[in-house]
Amino acid sequence: MKKKIALITGGSGQDGSYLSSFLLKKKYKVIVADRRNSRSDNWRHKYLGIEDHLIYEDFDLSDFDSIFRLFKKYKFHEVYNLAAQSFVKSSFETPISTANVTALGALRILEVIRITQKNVKFYQASSSEMIGNSSSKIQNENAFLNPRSPYAISKVFSHNITKNYRDSYSMFACSGILFNHESPLRGEEFVTRKISKGLCEIKLKKREFLELGNLDSKRDWGFAGDYVEGMWKMLQQKKPDDYVLATNKSYSVRQFVNFCCKHLDINIQWRGKGKNEKAFNVKNKKVIIKINPKYYRPTEVDTLLGDFSKAKKILNWKPKVLIEDLSKMMVEEDLKRLKK
Ligand code: NAP
Ligand code: F7E
C-alpha cells in the first residue's frame, strides 16, 4: 500500500517532534517544513531518534511562495499547521510579526490548499489562550472567546478562518483547541520547563535561585505526547470538527514548583506575598525562588480548566499522563541532561 504523506509545519518544535514520531510509527512519509535555523541542532528529533527518517523542507509561514512550492512538490494527505510564534509573552513585544505568522500564516496555507489540493485534510493548532479569562469554571468548544494577548488574538483569527474555509469550501479543516501541554521537549522559555530545568540546576549546585513571574496563574497541564495522538484522531473522522484536548485538572505555577521540588527531594517553604513571595530550601535556609516582575504580562489569563468530553466521546481520546508524572518525567530528563 502507498504511504500516506503528511506535512507538519513547525515540525521541529515540541508538538511537531512528537507528531513526527507518532506518524512515522503509523508508516506515514513525514515532511517537516521549517525555517532552517529552527532545526540547527535538531535536539528534539535526535532525542526521539527520528532525524534520519524525516524529509526536511525549508519554508516560512510568512512567505506565501514557500508554502505554494511545497504543495507543488508533494501531494499531501494530511497537513498539520503547528508553526507559530507560540510564546505569549513575546507576542506583547512583537505583536505585528506574531499576527503575520500566527494569524495570517494559517490563512496562507488554507488559500494554497483551496487553490491546489482541496481534498487534503487540514489541522489547525488552536489554543485555550483564545478563551482567555472565562466566566465559566470549565471550558469546552463553545466557550466564549476573550483573548488576552496578541498571540491569543492571532489564534482566534486562525481558528475562525479555518472554520470559515470548512464552511465556505467544504474543506476537511479541523481545529484542536489544546490546553497547555508540556514535556521534556518543551522550550526553556515556557514556565514548566523553566522550573524543571532551573530546579535541577539548583539541586546540582549549578545555580542559586530561580526568578519567576505570576505564581497564582492556573493552567490545565497535560503531556504533549498524548495530545499529538488527539490531533491525528481528529483527521481520521468522517466529518471535520473542532475539539478541546485537556486534562480537566488545573494547577497553579506555585503548585508546579511544589511537584518538581518533591521529585527532587527539596523540602521548600513559601513565605511572603505578591512581589515579595519567596521559596526557601528548608534544609539550608537559602532562597531558591524569587519574583521578578519582568516576567509579569501586561494582561494575564488567570485560570484555565478544559472539558475534553467531546474528544472522549467522539475520538475515544483521553490524557494518559497527568501533572504528577509529567513533572517527574521533565525533572528526570533535565537531571540526566545536566549531569552529562
Ligand atoms: P513550538 O515548540 O514553539 O513550535 C512552533 C514551531 O514553529 C517552532 O519550531 C518555530 O520555530 C516554528 N515557527 C515559528 N515561526 C515560524 C515561521 N514564520 N515559519 C515557520 N516556522 C515557524 O510550539 P509547540 O508547543 O510545539 O506548539 C505547536 C503549535 O500548537 C503552535 O502553533 C502553538 O501556538 C500551538 N499550541 C501549543 C500549545 C502548548 O501548550 N504547547 C497549546 C495550544 C496551542 P522557532 O522555534 O525557530 O521559532
Ligand atoms: O506561561 C506564568 C505566565 O509561558 C504559563 C503556550 O504553549 O500554552 C502556552 O502559553 C503561565 C502564565 O505558557 C513565569 O504568566 C509565571 O500565566 O508557560 P507559559 P502560556 O502563556 O500558558 C498555551 C495554551 C499556548 O497556546 C501557548 O502557545 O505561567 N508564569 N512565571 C511564567 N511564564 C513564563 N513563561 N515564565 C515565567 O517566569
Side-chain angles (χ1 to χ4, degrees):
M1 211 175 74
K2 244 183 131 191
K3 278 188 168 191
K4 280 192 178 174
I5 309 182
L7 170 68
I8 307 179
T9 75
S12 295
Q14 172 189 253
D15 292 6
S17 301
Y18 281 109
L19 181 63
S20 296
S21 174
F22 178 85
L23 292 178
L24 285 173
K25 284 188 194 126
K26 295 247 171 239
K27 308 283 180 228
Y28 281 63
K29 180 169 162 178
V30 180
I31 318 297
V32 165
D34 253 322
R35 293 175 299 184
R36 202 164 39 82
N37 285 350
S38 304
R39 63 181 111 96
S40 53
D41 61 356
N42 225 352
W43 65 281
R44 294 185 173 103
H45 294 177
K46 282 182 189 151
Y47 172 88
L48 295 169
I50 56 175
E51 78 272 27
D52 296 333
H53 305 279
L54 298 167
I55 298 168
Y56 293 99
E57 293 285 356
D58 290 353
F59 113 112
D60 193 311
L61 202 47
S62 58
D63 171 14
F64 188 83
D65 285 355
S66 68
I67 303 171
F68 201 79
R69 274 198 295 276
L70 276 175
F71 281 77
K72 288 284 266 183
K73 185 164 174 185
Y74 299 97
K75 187 157 172 29
F76 300 115
H77 296 89
E78 294 169 18
V79 170
Y80 296 85
N81 182 33
L82 308 187
Q85 190 304 91
S86 73
F87 188 40
V88 174
K89 178 77 163 62
S90 273
S91 76
F92 289 100
E93 280 108 46
T94 59
I96 295 169
S97 66
T98 297
N100 190 18
V101 173
T102 305
L104 289 181
L107 175 56
R108 289 187 186 98
I109 298 194
L110 285 163
E111 254 310 87
V112 173
I113 292 177
R114 185 178 72 81
I115 296 165
T116 63
Q117 300 183 23
K118 226 178 100 188
N119 292 330
V120 79
K121 293 183 171 180
F122 175 78
Y123 172 86
Q124 170 58 24
S126 289
S127 164
S128 53
E129 281 292 301
M130 301 187 311
I131 298 165
N133 276 348
S134 175
S135 52
S136 351
K137 226 177 123 194
I138 174 160
Q139 300 96 33
N140 66 15
E141 294 77 7
N142 303 316
F144 179 73
L145 303 184
N146 178 22
R148 303 268 291 164
S149 63
Y151 166 80
I153 291 162
S154 301
K155 283 287 182 186
V156 170
F157 175 86
S158 50
H159 180 74
N160 284 333
I161 200 72
T162 299
K163 182 171 183 321
N164 182 251
Y165 270 57
R166 174 167 80 215
D167 296 342
S168 305
Y169 308 116
S170 305
M171 281 169 44
F172 196 108
C174 301
S175 285
I177 305 166
L178 271 48
F179 284 60
N180 295 52
H181 44 280
E182 319 294 314
S183 74
L185 300 186
R186 188 57 142 153
E188 290 178 19
E189 65 275 40
F190 298 95
V191 79
T192 55
R193 183 77 205 294
K194 181 175 169 184
I195 292 169
S196 143
K197 185 170 181 229
L199 287 172
C200 287
E201 287 169 344
I202 291 169
K203 179 77 185 178
L204 297 176
K205 301 197 165 48
K206 290 175 189 266
R207 161 200 283 273
E208 287 198 1
F209 59 86
L210 182 64
E211 289 185 330
L212 296 172
N214 179 9
L215 298 172
D216 293 317
S217 174
K218 289 176 90 180
R219 291 289 184 274
D220 181 325
W221 274 305
F223 170 51
D226 289 344
Y227 287 44
V228 298
E229 182 174 11
M231 296 176 190
W232 174 78
K233 284 188 161 186
M234 289 177 211
L235 298 198
Q236 311 314 308
Q237 303 307 302
K238 285 214 171 81
K239 286 203 303 202
D241 206 347
D242 303 332
Y243 298 89
V244 160
L245 301 184
T247 67
N248 194 8
K249 308 245 178 294
S250 186
Y251 294 91
S252 68
V253 171
R254 191 183 292 99
Q255 283 171 300
F256 195 87
V257 170
N258 292 342
F259 277 116
C260 291
C261 283
K262 187 178 131 199
H263 302 313
L264 286 166
D265 204 18
I266 306 175
N267 186 5
I268 60 163
Q269 200 174 51
W270 292 97
R271 281 189 227 151
K273 277 207 168 131
K275 289 178 191 163
N276 298 318
E277 185 165 0
K278 292 183 176 64
F280 290 82
N281 182 339
V282 172
K283 204 167 159 193
N284 58 18
K285 313 265 182 300
K286 283 188 178 162
V287 174
I288 58 168
I289 310 265
K290 291 181 191 178
I291 302 301
N292 187 335
K294 84 171 182 194
Y295 296 112
Y296 289 162
R297 294 170 184 187
T299 40
E300 176 66 282
V301 173
D302 301 323
T303 178
L304 286 166
L305 175 64
D307 170 5
F308 65 90
S309 44
K310 179 175 171 186
K312 189 174 175 195
K313 185 166 166 223
I314 297 173
L315 307 179
N316 192 24
W317 179 91
K318 64 173 188 188
K320 296 179 194 116
V321 180
L322 300 180
I323 194 163
E324 174 112 41
D325 290 334
L326 173 67
S327 49
K328 186 159 189 269
M329 183 197 295
M330 291 177 72
V331 156
E332 282 175 354
E333 196 50 46
D334 272 324
L335 268 184
K336 231 191 270 170
R337 285 181 187 137
L338 287 163
K339 281 180 184 168
K340 261 189 197 160

